[in-house]
Amino acid sequence: MQSLLLKIISIPLILLLCTFWFEGVSFNKPLPFLIITIILAPLAVLMEYIFLPRLSFWLAFIADFVLSYLLVYVISSFMAGAYVSLWGAFLIALVYSLVELLIHKQIVSDHMRHSYS
């Protein structure tokens, strides 16, 4: 539940920051923020439950990157008020994946701490 809440907060913030930081990213309306968050957050939590126990830490990172790259690019190309270039989607996915890396590290350390207590 914490992971979903973190994603619901972090995804719009990442998109907003990337709008200001990167030239190939432009969100002019709030609807793309909402749609990307509604789709990406639950999928990312589902991927955590599926991939973290089965795959290595870095393969889960790569899976997060690919999912976020594809979703951000595809969704923003269909939304009015959103423009994300391929390079912009790459940068958003990279920033998002780095945030996810920290979340995964915390999840794994919590699991290890509770497993041996």
Side-chain angles (χ1 to χ4, degrees), residues 11-101:
I11 291 171
L13 286 175
I14 290 168
L15 294 173
L16 183 64
L17 289 174
C18 288
T19 299
F20 293 117
W21 287 342
F22 306 125
E23 192 173 305
V25 179
S26 175
F27 291 102
N28 299 328
K29 297 181 180 178
L31 187 62
F33 290 105
L34 183 65
I35 298 297
I36 291 172
T37 302
I38 287 172
I39 294 172
L40 185 57
L43 284 176
V45 170
L46 181 64
M47 284 177 49
E48 283 176 357
Y49 283 110
I50 293 171
F51 290 149
L52 275 181
R54 293 174 180 83
L55 297 178
S56 73
F57 191 72
W58 293 107
L59 286 176
F61 173 78
I62 292 169
D64 274 332
F65 177 82
V66 170
L67 176 73
S68 60
Y69 179 78
L70 291 174
L71 279 176
V72 167
Y73 185 71
V74 169
I75 292 171
S76 64
S77 64
F78 289 113
M79 298 292 296
Y83 168 75
V84 178
S85 66
L86 285 172
W87 180 245
F90 176 84
L91 294 171
I92 289 171
L94 185 63
V95 172
Y96 171 75
S97 297
L98 291 174
V99 170
E100 280 294 301
L101 188 72

